[in-house]
Amino acid sequence: MKEISVQELKEKIDKGEDFQLIDVREDFEYETSNLGGLLIPLGGILIETDKIAKDKDVVIMCRSGKRSAAAIMQLEQQGFTNLYNLYGGILAWAEDIDPTLDVY
């Protein structure tokens, strides 16, 4: 499984790179704090594959990196090859990039 660090994600954002960010946490978690990604909770990821880009990099994120890894494993079985797991999830983002972010 391909992974991306929070520093690499921040570089992609800062450079304005064309990629998709998908957050697989639950609604209440997303409302607490998010990075502006498309919310598709893990339980519905296979139902909503039509919302996931196939023609550019897709970074999948969650709280710590475990649920996003599970989502990637499911999606790779559906033929996706352009997925990157955000290592450490939003907890790593809050620790290394934006300490003002609310985490739980």
Side-chain angles (χ1 to χ4, degrees):
M1 179 179 309
K2 297 177 284 195
E3 291 195 308
I4 183 173
S5 69
V6 291
Q7 292 84 1
E8 290 169 316
L9 176 60
K10 184 168 186 336
E11 283 177 28
K12 280 180 160 301
I13 293 168
D14 290 348
K15 290 179 182 174
E17 287 184 27
D18 185 23
F19 72 98
Q20 184 179 32
L21 180 62
I22 295 179
D23 193 323
V24 296
R25 297 175 300 150
E26 297 299 321
D27 292 349
F28 74 92
E29 295 174 287
Y30 189 86
E31 289 168 13
T32 300
S33 57
N34 68 74
L35 304 182
L38 174 64
L39 178 63
I40 306 177
L42 177 59
I45 199 80
L46 293 179
I47 298 165
E48 303 207 49
T49 56
D50 59 319
K51 295 182 178 176
I52 303 170
K54 291 186 171 77
D55 59 346
K56 58 185 166 186
D57 289 348
V58 177
V59 177
I60 312 258
M61 64 164 291
C62 65
R63 181 173 184 262
S64 66
K66 289 184 176 72
R67 277 178 283 175
S68 48
I72 289 172
M73 286 191 285
Q74 292 178 41
L75 291 167
E76 285 179 341
Q77 291 178 346
Q78 302 298 313
F80 284 87
T81 58
N82 57 329
L83 308 175
Y84 293 83
N85 188 27
L86 181 62
Y87 184 80
I90 202 159
L91 292 177
W93 183 274
E95 185 173 320
D96 296 347
I97 307 294
D98 184 1
T100 66
L101 204 60
D102 286 334
V103 290
Y104 46 92

